[in-house]
Amino acid sequence: MRISPRLQQVTFPPITEVKSWIADRQFSAEKPLVDLCQAIPDYAPPEALVDHLRHLMAQPQLSVYSADEGLLEIRQTVSEWYTRRYQSGPSADQICMTIGASQAFWLAILSVCESGDEVIVPLPAYFDHPMGLEALGVVPKFIPFDAEQPVPDLDVIAAAIGPRTRAILMVTPSNPTGTVLPAERIEALYDLAKQSNIALILDETYNAFLPPKQAPHHLFSKEDWGETFIHIGSFGKTFALTGYRAGALVASRELIHHALKVQDSMVVCQPRITQHAIGYGCRELSDWVDKNSVMMQQRHDLFCQLFDVENNRFTLCRSGAFFAWVKHPWPTLTGRQAARKLADESNLICLPGEVFGPGLEGYLRLAFGNVSQHEIPQAVERFLVYR
């Protein structure tokens, strides 16, 4: 059977690759596996949410399709959630519930791009984004990583816009660096995209892990925001529902209308149980989410305090939300080789820098969101042994 040559060139899922390195390995109680590979909360959703879903499971209606874009009452609840957290938000008909943020991303790209078009992608980039673009025949136009610049330079992005450019794609807080784009930089990117008649696509999967009550930006307050701005949302990390695949595409009514053509042929709809889990979370769990945000900030601060010390050969370059972006100390090794060395010698798994874009072989992504606070000193010690 012939496999598409284009698909053969797409990177294999890196988390699957890294976890295959340790698939048959036994770990001792003295030196257990430290998993800094996948960014998932280490805590479960609250029991009240589980009880709510348990009650709904007895209802036959839970087992049938909903409207492609999701149940109206759920989208209304999600709209209210955005309004509370952003001070202004989309209406229900500007929301499409999706199978995770990844499917929302595919809907967005398929709605604005054709094969051969370009999307500007600053590095390091969340690996699923270039994978998806390349699979669709859309060209990721990479903005090289500048270790001296905490956020991508606006002039460099502007210079990269060409006749085939259809969007600027950003992730905030960043996966893999944790860097948060300041609201004023997001505003400037929006203005640049609007002037260039292209889309600004913001993947805000980790927006619940900003400081409580801090609005990520104010784009939703603009009367015509949907003409330029596309938001990729996720509730999987927010409500500890990663296996439920709880995402949302937020965009103009026109874009949602056309995206539903793909939605219907791809998945039909987000499962009702996922929609009801999101609805309950948006109605009832604001305080729980804010407490988890504070807890994650405490983990971040402890990790950085212990990691960023003089005798550590690994350099902390960026950090925030769930992540630390570090430079490894072995100039002759690629990131993949460095990550494999840590897996083999230290029973620690993380992701190599090059899966986040070309030229990043000297870096590693550490995801400490799934490591509890009392495990962080042990995790950091695995790096400090390389002296």
Side-chain angles (χ1 to χ4, degrees):
M1 180 187 298
R2 177 183 180 274
I3 305 297
S4 161
R6 177 191 294 164
L7 192 58
Q8 290 183 52
Q9 298 304 310
V10 176
T11 302
F12 187 76
I15 292 174
T16 303
E17 177 190 354
V18 170
K19 291 196 171 183
S20 74
W21 300 345
I22 57 160
D24 300 322
R25 195 177 304 174
Q26 300 296 318
F27 298 97
S28 67
E30 293 75 27
K31 196 173 183 181
L33 175 69
V34 172
D35 184 352
L36 302 180
C37 181
Q38 191 163 19
I40 55 175
D42 69 317
Y43 47 85
E47 190 62 30
L49 188 154
V50 177
D51 287 343
H52 174 70
L53 298 181
R54 187 179 292 119
H55 170 72
L56 292 175
M57 288 295 291
Q59 301 178 13
Q61 191 67 12
L62 193 71
S63 302
V64 302
Y65 296 132
S66 76
D68 288 12
E69 62 270 36
L71 297 162
L72 177 59
E73 64 268 28
I74 300 299
R75 290 182 289 115
Q76 288 172 335
T77 301
V78 171
S79 170
E80 292 163 4
W81 164 269
Y82 275 100
T83 299
R84 289 195 302 273
R85 299 190 77 86
Y86 286 75
Q87 280 81 66
S88 184
S91 58
D93 57 0
Q94 295 171 315
I95 298 169
C96 175
M97 310 306 293
T98 61
I99 310 298
S102 295
Q103 196 228 340
F105 169 73
W106 276 67
L107 291 181
I109 295 301
L110 284 165
S111 297
V112 300
C113 293
E114 297 179 352
S115 181
D117 285 342
E118 297 176 349
V119 172
I120 293 175
V121 182
L123 295 179
Y126 172 48
F127 52 80
D128 269 2
H129 290 163
M131 288 167 64
L133 294 173
E134 290 164 0
L136 291 168
V138 177
V139 179
K141 195 164 187 180
F142 293 124
I143 304 297
F145 175 58
D146 184 347
E148 303 302 317
Q149 287 274 1
V151 295
D153 186 275
L154 203 65
D155 291 337
V156 175
I157 292 174
I161 296 173
R164 296 301 300 266
T165 304
R166 298 294 175 259
I168 301 167
L169 173 61
M170 306 292 296
V171 182
T172 181
S174 167
N175 179 359
T177 69
T179 301
V180 177
L181 283 175
E184 58 271 18
R185 178 53 58 93
I186 293 174
E187 185 89 17
L189 286 165
Y190 174 89
D191 290 341
L192 174 62
K194 185 173 184 177
Q195 293 162 10
S196 305
N197 196 30
I198 60 176
L200 171 63
I201 303 175
L202 285 187
D203 183 326
E204 299 184 69
T205 292
Y206 297 92
N207 61 359
F209 299 95
L210 296 172
K213 314 304 180 187
Q214 175 180 315
H217 55 74
H218 303 285
L219 297 187
F220 288 123
S221 66
K222 298 179 181 295
E223 186 175 349
D224 60 348
W225 65 264
E227 295 181 11
T228 302
F229 176 43
I230 301 172
H231 165 89
I232 307 298
S234 172
F235 299 95
K237 309 299 192 302
T238 304
F239 301 130
L241 298 170
T242 54
Y244 283 63
R245 311 306 300 125
L249 172 67
V250 180
S252 69
R253 295 174 184 86
E254 180 185 17
L255 189 143
I256 295 292
H257 171 80
H258 291 290
L260 291 181
K261 302 170 185 177
V262 181
Q263 174 87 337
D264 194 73
S265 63
M266 183 183 282
V267 298
V268 180
C269 62
Q270 187 185 76
R272 280 183 181 245
I273 191 168
T274 300
Q275 293 184 53
H276 283 289
I278 294 170
Y280 182 90
C282 289
R283 287 192 309 272
E284 306 292 342
L285 297 182
S286 289
D287 289 344
W288 183 84
V289 169
D290 288 347
K291 287 177 183 176
N292 288 331
S293 176
V294 171
M295 177 183 68
M296 204 59 66
Q297 187 63 49
Q298 291 170 342
R299 293 186 190 185
H300 165 271
D301 293 348
L302 176 62
F303 186 94
C304 293
Q305 175 190 340
L306 297 177
F307 191 93
D308 195 17
V309 293
E310 188 175 348
N311 63 339
N312 190 356
R313 294 178 63 202
F314 294 81
T315 304
L316 181 65
C317 300
R318 303 272 192 276
S319 67
F322 269 58
F323 305 111
W325 180 249
V326 307
K327 189 172 182 62
H328 68 73
W330 301 300
T332 61
L333 300 185
T334 66
R336 187 171 272 101
Q337 290 167 333
R340 189 66 184 261
K341 180 179 176 71
L342 287 166
D344 292 342
E345 297 177 358
S346 296
N347 291 355
L348 180 144
I349 55 174
C350 59
L351 288 184
E354 57 262 39
V355 305
F356 299 97
L360 299 173
E361 293 81 0
Y363 297 91
L364 302 169
R365 187 198 79 173
L366 314 181
F368 49 77
N370 58 330
V371 180
S372 65
Q373 188 137 345
H374 77 271
E375 295 172 311
I376 287 176
Q378 177 186 198
V380 172
E381 185 59 34
R382 305 289 175 94
F383 295 93
L384 298 182
V385 298
Y386 294 98
R387 293 174 179 169

Short mmCIF file of all heavy atoms in Angstrom, two decimals, residues 12 14 33 83 112 285 313 338 351 363 373:
data_model
loop_
_atom_site.label_atom_id
_atom_site.label_comp_id
_atom_site.label_asym_id
_atom_site.label_seq_id
_atom_site.Cartn_x
_atom_site.Cartn_y
_atom_site.Cartn_z
N PHE A 12 7.15 12.04 13.62
CA PHE A 12 6.37 11.07 14.40
C PHE A 12 6.06 11.68 15.76
O PHE A 12 6.86 12.46 16.29
CB PHE A 12 7.18 9.78 14.57
CG PHE A 12 6.40 8.67 15.21
CD1 PHE A 12 5.44 7.96 14.48
CD2 PHE A 12 6.59 8.33 16.54
CE1 PHE A 12 4.71 6.93 15.07
CE2 PHE A 12 5.87 7.32 17.14
CZ PHE A 12 4.93 6.61 16.40
N PRO A 14 6.25 12.88 19.17
CA PRO A 14 7.45 12.76 20.00
C PRO A 14 7.21 12.14 21.37
O PRO A 14 8.10 11.46 21.90
CB PRO A 14 7.96 14.21 20.11
CG PRO A 14 6.78 15.06 19.79
CD PRO A 14 5.95 14.29 18.82
N LEU A 33 10.83 6.22 38.00
CA LEU A 33 10.77 7.06 36.81
C LEU A 33 10.28 8.46 37.19
O LEU A 33 9.31 8.61 37.92
CB LEU A 33 9.81 6.44 35.78
CG LEU A 33 9.57 7.28 34.52
CD1 LEU A 33 10.82 7.34 33.66
CD2 LEU A 33 8.39 6.71 33.72
N THR A 83 -16.42 35.36 29.40
CA THR A 83 -16.71 36.74 29.80
C THR A 83 -16.17 37.04 31.19
O THR A 83 -15.62 38.12 31.44
CB THR A 83 -18.22 37.00 29.73
OG1 THR A 83 -18.67 36.81 28.39
CG2 THR A 83 -18.55 38.42 30.17
N VAL A 112 -8.96 28.67 6.91
CA VAL A 112 -8.31 29.86 6.36
C VAL A 112 -7.20 29.56 5.37
O VAL A 112 -6.72 30.46 4.68
CB VAL A 112 -7.76 30.77 7.49
CG1 VAL A 112 -8.87 31.22 8.41
CG2 VAL A 112 -6.66 30.08 8.29
N LEU A 285 -16.66 25.49 38.98
CA LEU A 285 -15.30 25.19 39.42
C LEU A 285 -14.32 26.36 39.32
O LEU A 285 -13.11 26.14 39.34
CB LEU A 285 -14.76 24.00 38.62
CG LEU A 285 -15.49 22.67 38.79
CD1 LEU A 285 -14.81 21.57 37.97
CD2 LEU A 285 -15.58 22.27 40.27
N ARG A 313 24.64 22.16 35.44
CA ARG A 313 25.18 22.36 34.09
C ARG A 313 24.08 22.61 33.07
O ARG A 313 24.36 23.05 31.94
CB ARG A 313 26.01 21.14 33.68
CG ARG A 313 27.28 20.95 34.51
CD ARG A 313 28.02 19.70 34.07
NE ARG A 313 28.47 19.80 32.68
CZ ARG A 313 28.74 18.76 31.91
NH1 ARG A 313 28.60 17.52 32.38
NH2 ARG A 313 29.16 18.92 30.66
N ALA A 338 20.49 13.77 24.01
CA ALA A 338 20.55 14.22 25.41
C ALA A 338 19.37 13.67 26.20
O ALA A 338 19.53 13.20 27.35
CB ALA A 338 20.57 15.74 25.48
N LEU A 351 11.31 15.98 26.68
CA LEU A 351 11.26 16.07 25.22
C LEU A 351 12.48 16.81 24.66
O LEU A 351 12.91 17.83 25.21
CB LEU A 351 9.99 16.79 24.77
CG LEU A 351 8.68 16.01 24.94
CD1 LEU A 351 7.52 16.81 24.37
CD2 LEU A 351 8.75 14.64 24.28
N TYR A 363 18.39 22.08 23.20
CA TYR A 363 17.43 22.36 24.26
C TYR A 363 16.60 21.12 24.62
O TYR A 363 16.52 20.16 23.86
CB TYR A 363 16.49 23.50 23.83
CG TYR A 363 17.21 24.81 23.60
CD1 TYR A 363 17.69 25.13 22.33
CD2 TYR A 363 17.42 25.70 24.63
CE1 TYR A 363 18.36 26.33 22.09
CE2 TYR A 363 18.09 26.91 24.41
CZ TYR A 363 18.55 27.21 23.15
OH TYR A 363 19.22 28.40 22.92
N GLN A 373 4.47 18.53 44.15
CA GLN A 373 5.45 19.41 44.77
C GLN A 373 6.51 18.62 45.54
O GLN A 373 7.70 18.95 45.48
CB GLN A 373 4.74 20.40 45.71
CG GLN A 373 5.66 21.47 46.26
CD GLN A 373 5.03 22.85 46.25
OE1 GLN A 373 4.02 23.07 45.59
NE2 GLN A 373 5.62 23.78 46.96
#
